[in-house]
Amino acid sequence: MQPLGEFDLIARFFKRPTPHAVVGVGDDCAVLQPRPGTQWAISTDMLVAGRHFFPDTDPGQLGHKALAVNLSDLAACGAQPVAFTLALALPEAREAWLAPFAQGLLALADLHGCELVGGDTTQGPLNICITVFGEVPVINGRTLALLRSGAQAGDDLYVSGTLGDARLALEVLQGQLSVPPAVLKAARTRLQAPTPRVALGLALRGVATAAIDVSDGLLGDLGHVLQQSGVGAVVHTDVVLQRLASWRALVPWLSEPDTPLSKARLLGWTLAGGDDYELLFTAAPAQRAQVAQAALRAQTPVTRIGQIEAERGLRLLDEHGQPLPNTFASFDHFA
Ligand code: ADP
Ligand code: MG
């Protein structure tokens, strides 16, 4: 087979009709027109082989995940996905890798009506960098984007879906423990092909006061909201464990409540596991019915796990309402 050249590769796998872009792939710049009354929410995320994923990861899932982690940022801002660019460094241009990669990537893009409008392609160690463009309404000069800075004392604190699944899969894949095959399969999908909570983010516009996506771990990401909002919070760890660590019941030794190791690990994976891609958000107690409506509309369960308080700092409570020391470090590339 003829080796693929740079431009053949782009034309073959990444150049598609882009009906919503003024100019898509093929010129020096993509040109996008924001609709009247909207602003761009823009986010970039990079996936590096050996750092964010195993180099032999299924390329289809990798394509999905590279876009999913970016769409998760748009979801956290309550932005409607519109377009994205793809910067790709590849060790070699192999069709057997590129075809499934493009398929996984573009299937998720199509699901969200998000068009690939440009990018860059170069030879080098496998590295995938995506920039997404999403639309948020602006009303009377005020953005409807959900921000980290909007949490108010007295607000309820919520998390979508479940936490710790991806971490469980990672521990198993690294040979730290074994779990029943069906449990691994579900957890592995969460790790390798997460579902961005785009519909929930959109439904929470005008309802949530602040939001962030949980990528580095619940407590660490909550810390960003607290810091940027200038508030504190109390978190009920028993609720988090019972409602968000749904996988725990399926792993026999983890569900034994009294072994200190199982409890510490369980808490660690749930509160600081990383790669969850759920939404953490705050809303006034008066909005509880609207939050429930939003969850229903987005078909995404949400759980109330605590409260925002005026006193700064993060307070964890155990099942007896007693303070629990926060020893749960979130992921930090340079720590
Ligand atoms: P330039 O050298 O002017 O930056 P390139 O030759 O790198 O342009 O790219 C040619 C066209 O292909 C541009 O429109 C660019 O946005 C697009 N492109 C390059 N790589 C990708 C990719 N991986 N996915 C989508 N579009 C790409
Ligand atoms: Mg270029």
Side-chain angles (χ1 to χ4, degrees), residues 6-7 9-10 14-15 24-30 85-88 116-121:
E6 175 185 339
F7 300 102
L9 180 167
I10 297 166
F14 302 119
K15 187 170 166 59
V25 170
D27 215 306
D28 290 309
C29 292
T85 60
L86 168 68
L88 197 57
L116 176 55
V117 295
D120 198 25
T121 307

Side-chain angles (χ1 to χ4, degrees), residues 92-308:
E92 51 189 348
R94 277 199 307 123
E95 181 176 350
W97 189 92
L98 276 159
F101 172 80
Q103 220 225 328
L105 175 86
L106 297 172
L108 183 65
D110 289 346
L111 197 65
H112 291 280
C114 194
E115 294 177 352
L116 176 55
V117 295
D120 198 25
T121 307
T122 164
Q123 197 275 332
L126 182 57
N127 187 330
I128 305 156
C129 183
I130 286 180
T131 298
V132 279
F133 299 77
E135 201 178 71
V136 280
V138 53
I139 293 177
N140 296 329
R142 268 191 61 144
T143 184
L144 281 201
L146 303 174
L147 303 176
R148 298 177 177 187
S149 53
Q152 305 275 334
D155 281 354
D156 294 324
L157 182 61
Y158 297 87
V159 182
S160 66
T162 62
L163 296 174
D165 313 59
R167 180 57 180 269
L168 178 72
L170 187 65
E171 298 279 338
V172 176
L173 295 178
Q174 289 177 337
Q176 310 286 339
L177 77 156
S178 66
V179 298
V183 175
L184 175 59
K185 186 159 183 269
R188 201 174 168 148
T189 303
R190 291 293 304 271
L191 174 69
Q192 295 176 337
T195 302
R197 302 299 193 188
V198 173
L200 181 63
L202 292 174
L204 287 171
R205 273 180 192 165
V207 175
T209 49
I212 188 170
D213 68 318
V214 180
S215 53
D216 295 330
L218 173 69
L219 297 185
D221 288 320
L222 172 57
H224 298 309
V225 170
L226 300 184
Q227 211 207 349
Q228 295 196 29
S229 299
V231 292
V234 57
V235 170
H236 299 280
T237 61
D238 56 326
V239 177
V240 174
L241 272 189
Q242 305 221 332
R243 300 279 305 279
L244 298 173
S246 60
W247 38 271
R248 91 189 258 220
L250 304 172
V251 184
W253 68 269
L254 274 177
S255 53
E256 299 205 357
D258 293 329
T259 61
L261 177 68
S262 72
K263 179 131 196 209
R265 277 217 204 168
L266 200 64
L267 268 171
W269 295 351
T270 312
L271 298 175
D275 261 349
D276 296 299
Y277 302 106
E278 294 294 353
L279 295 189
L280 171 70
F281 63 96
T282 57
Q287 297 285 321
R288 280 183 194 168
Q290 281 80 357
V291 169
Q293 270 281 321
L296 204 64
R297 224 180 319 146
Q299 296 183 30
T300 307
V302 306
T303 304
R304 186 150 49 86
I305 62 160
Q307 209 96 45
I308 299 296

